[in-house]
Amino acid sequence: MTEKIESAVKSSQEMADFNSLAPKGLMNLSVQNLWSLNEKEILTIQAHFKSLKRNPTRAEMETIAQSWSEHCRHKTFKSPIRYQEGSKTVLIKNLFEETIARATRQTKKPWCLSVFKDNAGIVSFGNKGKWALAFKVETHNHPCAIEPKGGAETGLGGVIRDVLAAGLGAKPVLSTDIFCVAPPNKKLPLPPSALSAERILRGLVAGVRDYGNRMGIPTAAGGLYFDDGYALNPLVFVGCVGVLPAQAVKKEIRPGDLIVAAGGLTGKDGLHGATFSSANLNGDDHSTAVQIGHPLNEKRVMEALLKARDQKLYRSVTDCGAGGFSSAVTEMADIIGARVFLEKEILKASDMEPWEIWVSESQERMVFAVSPSNLKAFEKVFADEGVKIRVIGEFVKTGRIEVSWNGQNLVNLSLKFLNNGLPIEEKKAVYNPVKLSESRTPRPAKSLPEQLKDILSHLNVCSREWLIRQYDHEVQGGTVIKPLQGARHDGPGDACVIWPQAATGDTSDLSGFTVGHGLNPASGKLDPYLMAWLCADEALRNILCVGADISRAAFLDNFCWGNPENPQVLGSLVRAALGCRDASLGFQIPFISGKDSLYNESKDAFGKTVSVPGTLLISSIAPIPNIEKAITMDMKGPGNSLYIVGQTGEDMGGSLYNELNGISGGTVPRVDARCAKRNFASVSKAISKGLVASAHDLSEGGLLAALTEMAFSGEFGAMLDLDAIPKQKPIYSTDVLLFSETPSRILLEVKPENEAAFIKCVKGSCIKKIGTSLANPIIKIIGLDGLVLFEESVTPFKAAWQRTVLS
Amino acid sequence: MIAAATHKIEVSLKSEYGDAESLSTASLLKASGAPSVVRVRRSRLYEIRGNFTVTHINRLSRDLLCDQIIEDFRIVSQMPSSQGPFWKIEVRLKPTVLDPEADTIKNAMIEMGFPAPDFVRVASVYKIESKCGKPQIEAAAAKCLLNPIIHLYSVTACS
């Protein structure tokens, strides 16, 4: 039987001479067709087809290239790596398994319902255990470098579809966005093909705004980070959280189920996204990889999908992302097998080659597995929303992917070869520690108030109001704590709190959730291992500050690195992954989902290859058992006590203070997980008991920046005694005390009537009183000598901080 | 029987309303190498092909394309309107690129009972008052108003 099909394939669409090509010719073919296959891979494919005694078809080559791409297969994270650090060399068999996956297994959290398997990580949610939360953060870097608005739109559209395809489908209730771009006010030399940083930033914001707002999903969490290293390769992280019934987490496919496509029609737009994203960016125009988002199409699919889910009309679903049908169907068929008839798909462009239909990445499409008995009802639900469905094939128990077009065979591949045929290559990674000089803290020329203004108006600290106000963060009516907080709704919140009553329809359940992010590329330049720790710590602190139950927190990882063929680049990636593992075990918080984007490098104006700074984003999600207990960061009144959580150390390496004063070196902060975990648990308990009025985490700019932000957001003042700050060892420099960026520290405000209960609640933790809030909006600091070191009105500092990114 | 023709409808903000988008476009152009930009007026241009009467087009413009409280519409004829001198830049998506806005208008027209249009496309029009020469305006526009990878554009002098 198989032989018969094989001979039928032979007669059509075959790539003549493929099997007789020399390695050089094969590589040329790979480059020409944008397959991004390396020599070993393409030789493996040739050997496979030689054994079948026929040449592959174009569609088969496309299928293999898509399915073996870095984007779909995460080759770097799953191949063996010989890792050398100093004089030590170890062999890591599978980086992902030995770091992140192992940590998640060891933390053994029963509330993790699905990790790393589905389109998003799923954890249980709600006080009755009836619901679950799906969370996914994607990167969409390459398309955004070429067309920022279209790239951001389709990136967000894609991650929303990931959440729609998590389990049997989750209703999206929150979108997140984090952008890493070059400073827009700095004129950096760029090659002619690159867009300016301002252009990119405006485009990205417009894309997220236009897509998210039209989908009716609040965009209420995110971040913005500026560094010259992102001039050529901006990084775009988009995330989405959805709510689904706990019993809808499992999906399955049975032979005989129909393969049904729904949503947008297939066109030529976005060919080769998967293979393109696994290639380095250079000056060539890849206009076919550009996609434009169509939010209204996706909105219709979303509404229909949720209805069909509740009527149990399908058994499995996945989204058509990179690789189009080729990836979606192959992924669903897994080990079963599928037969696809491409002529059944409705096209929006008339001049398409059959293989193009198979790999086109036209947006807003989903693929379902529907049992034939449910097809009619399924079709009706979608027709009611104005969505056309197309039955394009069926799942069959053959263990093969068979694709035809009007009787012409295009693909006939065994799933065994597709899933397991990828040759494993050992990679080499080297990590050379950066030599850090001893910390020097020369007396800066500027006065203290000037320095504070510089810090607050720094691009990585200043107000993001320009951007946040363009997003609809109120839609669905569940944004309990908003991204901008305080008396005038313009203070920098640590995290938002969402009460997904629109999705659950249960207003008696006051369970909410919060999402935070940790990103710290500056410390990654000094030590990627410590960067992972700092990111985890920051992501955790952000959600803790609004009152999250951190014993139920989960992490997501996103790695954006340069070319992993370069042992130095891979070395720093490995070190960051090791950091993730240790941070996860240290805090006992599992990773539930992740994504890596590699090859983020391109040629600069002088023809030199530049790669992005190794960037790790750790996102955190945790439930808030009672949204009425959630708190914000603005000071609530005069006469309240201010407490600091955690000890302060001399951690100036990679700090904003050092950057602004041109000081290099210093030690990179280390996280003391045992101590931090104990402190965080106490804070979490105190907030849940309603004993804390406000909380704000200490990040860029250290203690003084955080205190000023709390004060001007609440329109109160504060008095601080530097001598009362708990220190790891004696510190004699006031600048270090005020600007050190020691991790795991939080500032808390406690009302006098709660103080006794608070002290009892946090007993045994390092939480010390350092000052009080004042009615008069001034910041007053008593120096180590007992004299007033600083006494200034907060108003000019707020003005400095509100220097917006763009206008 | 009415012959199929392409109708062009231009929608712009009434002059009494502050046009933030035009203002920011002007400052972007200034920052992108066209310092002598005095004023920018931005409008949307709808190109609709099909069998439509003038009544159809007027109703369509009034009820769907234009927000009558803050916007005015104008059916563009061959005769140029004289408000010059200015540079007119038209920016539209390449035919191979998906145009979701046009798609939505097409669907809405059918739902409103109009005959189905053969073709709908949306473009942006910028009327720029400036002493800059054509190459300068063109270069500045390519830097901040459009992306050559997905857009087509034309610059014409109007007097």
Side-chain angles (χ1 to χ4, degrees):
Chain A
M1 174 69 193
T2 320
E3 242 168 63
K4 222 165 149 189
I5 303 168
E6 295 285 356
S7 64
V9 171
K10 208 167 181 174
S11 60
S12 65
Q13 301 274 334
E14 225 172 63
M15 304 188 77
D17 307 332
F18 181 87
N19 284 352
S20 52
L21 280 176
K24 209 176 159 197
L26 288 173
M27 277 315 287
N28 281 342
L29 212 56
S30 169
V31 172
Q32 263 169 32
N33 290 308
L34 291 171
W35 289 335
S36 302
L37 289 165
N38 68 28
E39 194 172 312
K40 198 166 174 186
E41 288 160 2
I42 206 159
L43 284 173
T44 307
I45 297 169
Q46 194 185 44
H48 177 73
F49 282 98
K50 271 184 180 164
S51 74
L52 294 177
K53 298 197 178 65
R54 68 170 173 94
N55 286 311
T57 65
R58 175 80 195 257
E60 282 173 330
M61 286 309 295
E62 294 286 344
T63 310
I64 299 169
Q66 303 279 5
S67 131
W68 287 5
S69 67
E70 181 68 55
H71 187 98
C72 296
R73 203 48 83 88
H74 309 289
K75 285 184 272 198
T76 305
F77 266 84
K78 294 192 174 164
S79 6
I81 297 172
R82 198 162 287 279
Y83 174 63
Q84 184 193 340
E85 187 181 323
S87 56
K88 268 194 315 194
T89 305
V90 284
L91 180 70
I92 300 168
K93 279 189 197 136
N94 180 326
L95 182 60
F96 172 71
E97 273 300 321
E98 290 182 27
T99 56
I100 293 157
R102 176 179 291 173
T104 297
R105 266 200 309 276
Q106 285 180 0
T107 54
K108 280 195 208 131
K109 300 289 183 187
W111 41 264
C112 288
L113 303 180
S114 168
V115 292
F116 302 117
K117 275 185 294 207
D118 211 333
N119 288 304
I122 306 178
V123 293
S124 84
F125 175 70
N127 61 11
K128 296 172 198 131
K130 263 167 55 185
W131 298 95
L133 286 177
F135 188 16
K136 173 75 180 254
V137 179
E138 272 275 7
T139 47
H140 211 56
N141 307 333
H142 291 70
C144 291
I146 289 172
E147 166 44 33
K149 182 167 184 266
E153 281 179 337
T154 48
L156 184 58
V159 78
I160 292 170
R161 284 199 306 282
D162 271 330
V163 164
L164 285 174
L168 288 177
K171 181 179 164 65
V173 292
L174 171 72
S175 304
T176 68
D177 64 325
I178 286 110
F179 306 139
C180 296
V181 289
N185 50 2
K186 211 162 158 183
K187 294 270 177 269
L188 297 165
L190 291 173
S193 61
L195 301 173
S196 74
E198 180 176 353
R199 184 72 195 282
I200 290 173
L201 182 58
R202 280 183 192 279
L204 296 177
V205 173
V208 169
R209 175 194 69 205
D210 286 0
Y211 209 94
N213 294 2
R214 284 183 175 87
M215 284 295 291
I217 302 168
T219 307
L224 191 53
Y225 188 87
F226 295 96
D227 187 292
D228 291 357
Y230 302 115
L232 300 167
N233 297 80
L235 301 184
V236 177
F237 304 88
V238 278
C240 186
V241 184
V243 172
L244 71 161
Q247 81 264 19
V249 172
K250 283 223 163 70
K251 45 173 137 190
E252 57 165 348
I253 299 217
R254 292 186 196 160
D257 284 353
L258 300 172
I259 305 173
V260 181
L265 304 180
T266 300
K268 273 194 149 174
D269 42 344
L271 282 171
H272 281 131
T275 42
F276 164 68
S277 74
S278 308
N280 301 345
L281 274 187
N282 49 44
D284 303 335
D285 142 15
H286 293 284
S287 59
T288 51
V290 176
Q291 302 144 346
I292 305 288
H294 195 325
L296 300 185
N297 269 349
E298 186 146 315
K299 173 94 176 142
R300 283 197 283 257
V301 174
M302 176 174 94
E303 300 298 336
L305 177 143
L306 294 172
K307 260 193 243 170
R309 177 198 73 190
D310 292 341
Q311 295 177 28
K312 300 191 171 64
L313 295 179
Y314 57 87
R315 267 198 271 267
S316 184
V317 55
T318 198
D319 81 306
C320 249
F325 286 143
S326 155
S327 288
V329 174
T330 314
E331 190 188 306
M332 279 176 105
D334 193 22
I335 46 168
I336 299 175
R339 204 170 277 151
V340 177
F341 308 97
L342 281 182
E343 69 275 9
K344 301 265 174 70
E345 172 61 354
I346 309 173
L347 307 180
K348 59 184 176 190
S350 51
D351 56 341
M352 287 185 80
E353 297 259 350
W355 69 266
E356 290 181 323
I357 308 171
W358 182 232
V359 296
S360 157
E361 294 178 13
S362 287
Q363 294 291 299
E364 287 89 27
R365 297 178 304 165
M366 310 275 297
V367 178
F368 295 83
V370 182
S371 110
S373 58
N374 284 333
L375 185 66
K376 229 171 167 179
F378 184 85
E379 191 166 9
K380 164 120 192 2
V381 168
F382 278 76
D384 286 350
E385 292 292 340
V387 182
K388 259 201 188 118
I389 64 156
R390 293 86 69 180
V391 179
I392 58 165
E394 60 175 337
F395 292 102
V396 281
K397 215 176 164 141
T398 55
R400 305 183 77 79
I401 285 282
E402 297 159 55
V403 183
S404 66
W405 182 72
N406 284 327
Q408 210 178 47
N409 286 295
L410 297 174
V411 177
N412 186 351
L413 287 170
S414 88
L415 280 163
K416 215 169 137 196
F417 175 68
L418 211 53
N419 291 336
N420 310 323
L422 176 67
I424 294 174
E425 230 171 320
E426 189 179 297
K427 291 182 194 276
K428 213 178 137 203
V430 179
Y431 177 72
N432 301 321
V434 178
K435 284 212 178 74
L436 293 173
S437 55
E438 261 305 295
S439 169
R440 300 173 298 117
T441 321
R443 191 85 212 141
K446 282 185 175 171
S447 67
L448 211 46
E450 286 303 314
Q451 292 210 52
L452 179 57
K453 264 187 213 164
D454 282 354
I455 283 179
L456 290 172
S457 64
H458 189 276
L459 275 176
N460 285 336
V461 177
C462 73
S463 171
R464 271 85 175 105
E465 197 168 347
W466 167 77
L467 175 146
I468 293 169
R469 286 284 176 241
Q470 296 189 50
Y471 301 153
D472 185 346
H473 52 74
E474 294 290 344
V475 65
Q476 297 189 6
T479 315
V480 179
I481 289 192
K482 301 161 204 314
L484 293 170
Q485 305 166 2
R488 292 181 196 274
H489 304 289
D490 56 4
D494 291 302
C496 68
V497 174
I498 300 285
W499 179 39
Q501 41 80 24
T504 61
D506 183 1
T507 45
S508 66
D509 185 351
L510 291 175
S511 307
F513 70 89
T514 176
V515 163
H517 299 289
L519 183 84
N520 200 330
S523 62
K525 290 176 188 170
L526 302 174
D527 187 346
Y529 175 83
L530 294 177
M531 165 171 77
W533 270 99
L534 292 176
C535 290
D537 181 69
E538 193 189 344
L540 206 52
R541 259 182 303 145
N542 279 335
I543 56 172
L544 179 61
C545 284
V546 294
D549 174 5
I550 52 161
S551 66
R552 294 276 301 262
F555 283 151
L556 271 76
D557 64 75
N558 282 86
F559 292 86
C560 286
W561 250 257
N563 187 345
E565 316 294 330
N566 178 343
Q568 312 280 347
V569 172
L570 189 57
S572 88
L573 178 71
V574 170
R575 206 165 149 75
L578 293 171
C580 284
R581 177 196 65 192
D582 292 353
S584 169
L585 290 172
F587 287 118
Q588 283 292 302
I589 291 177
F591 279 91
I592 56 167
S593 167
K595 176 83 196 288
D596 56 285
S597 162
L598 306 174
Y599 301 93
N600 288 295
E601 63 173 33
S602 40
K603 288 205 163 71
D604 69 1
F606 314 104
K608 206 177 122 214
T609 301
V610 184
S611 85
V612 292
T615 306
L616 170 70
L617 170 72
I618 293 187
S619 310
S620 56
I621 183 165
I624 293 193
N626 181 354
I627 48 159
E628 290 177 336
K629 294 276 196 271
I631 56 170
T632 55
M633 53 68 69
D634 52 306
M635 238 171 232
K636 301 297 187 303
N640 295 340
S641 300
L642 298 173
Y643 283 83
I644 191 166
V645 179
Q647 290 180 325
T648 300
E650 223 166 302
D651 296 308
M652 305 301 277
S655 71
L656 205 55
Y657 177 89
N658 273 11
E659 186 195 318
L660 287 169
N661 290 306
I663 305 168
S664 61
T667 49
V668 187
R670 271 178 188 277
V671 177
D672 179 349
R674 221 163 46 99
C675 193
K677 218 178 137 223
R678 194 173 57 226
N679 292 346
F680 290 175
S682 299
V683 173
S684 182
K685 203 163 93 191
I687 296 177
S688 70
K689 285 185 176 170
L691 301 174
V692 179
S694 68
H696 193 31
D697 85 314
L698 274 61
S699 54
E700 282 113 334
L703 175 63
L704 188 54
L707 180 76
T708 315
E709 286 172 354
M710 277 176 91
F712 69 60
S713 303
E715 305 204 322
F716 291 104
M719 192 174 77
L720 202 69
D721 183 0
L722 288 189
D723 207 23
I725 297 173
K727 305 161 191 87
Q728 288 165 358
K729 53 184 184 197
I731 296 173
Y732 301 105
S733 156
T734 49
D735 280 9
V736 171
L737 282 170
L738 291 172
F739 299 113
S740 162
E741 294 182 9
T742 309
S744 317
R745 294 179 308 157
I746 300 171
L747 211 48
L748 303 176
E749 181 193 6
V750 180
K751 289 185 177 161
E753 62 264 33
N754 294 329
E755 210 158 343
F758 174 80
I759 291 167
K760 208 172 144 201
C761 181
V762 302
K763 207 171 163 211
S765 318
C766 175
I767 299 180
K768 293 270 154 21
K769 182 171 172 174
I770 55 166
T772 43
S773 60
L774 306 171
N776 197 3
I778 55 161
I779 299 285
K780 187 173 174 183
I781 291 168
I782 313 289
L784 292 170
D785 51 4
L787 302 174
V788 175
L789 174 75
F790 180 97
E791 188 170 355
E792 298 281 334
S793 157
V794 297
T795 320
F797 299 118
K798 183 171 183 179
W801 176 76
Q802 284 189 319
R803 187 193 91 151
T804 46
V805 178
L806 287 173
S807 57
Chain B
M1 183 68 195
I2 325 146
T6 303
H7 303 271
K8 288 187 178 183
I9 301 133
E10 193 179 331
V11 177
S12 48
L13 208 65
K14 286 180 183 168
S15 55
E16 61 262 43
Y17 293 98
D19 187 354
E21 202 176 343
S22 295
L23 283 175
S24 79
T25 308
S27 61
L28 280 177
L29 281 169
K30 276 183 207 166
S32 310
S36 71
V37 170
V38 182
R39 199 159 83 108
V40 177
R41 279 166 292 154
R42 184 197 177 263
S43 48
R44 304 190 300 276
L45 184 70
Y46 298 93
E47 291 168 316
I48 297 171
R49 190 174 169 79
N51 301 320
F52 300 106
T53 61
V54 177
T55 323
H56 274 146
I57 293 297
N58 272 309
R59 218 191 87 207
L60 171 70
S61 310
R62 216 173 44 229
D63 295 349
L64 182 69
L65 304 180
C66 162
D67 175 349
Q68 286 218 73
I69 298 170
I70 56 163
E71 289 173 332
D72 275 328
F73 71 89
R74 182 174 81 87
I75 295 166
V76 184
S77 57
Q78 294 303 318
M79 291 282 287
S81 64
S82 64
Q83 294 167 309
F86 55 80
W87 292 105
K88 188 170 90 175
I89 306 183
E90 280 187 21
V91 180
R92 65 196 73 221
L93 289 164
K94 284 182 183 171
T96 48
V97 175
L98 177 75
D99 187 344
E101 202 180 339
D103 226 34
T104 309
I105 290 169
K106 212 168 167 177
N107 290 338
M109 284 174 69
I110 297 165
E111 277 172 20
M112 288 167 78
F114 288 104
D118 301 337
F119 166 90
V120 179
R121 216 63 185 166
V122 186
S124 286
V125 180
Y126 301 91
K127 291 171 187 163
I128 300 166
E129 289 171 33
S130 167
K131 281 187 195 131
C132 297
K134 190 171 177 179
Q136 213 176 354
I137 285 287
E138 221 165 39
K143 262 190 200 162
C144 64
L145 300 184
L146 58 105
N147 186 349
I149 292 179
I150 57 165
H151 289 120
L152 293 174
Y153 69 106
S154 65
V155 181
T156 40
C158 300
S159 53

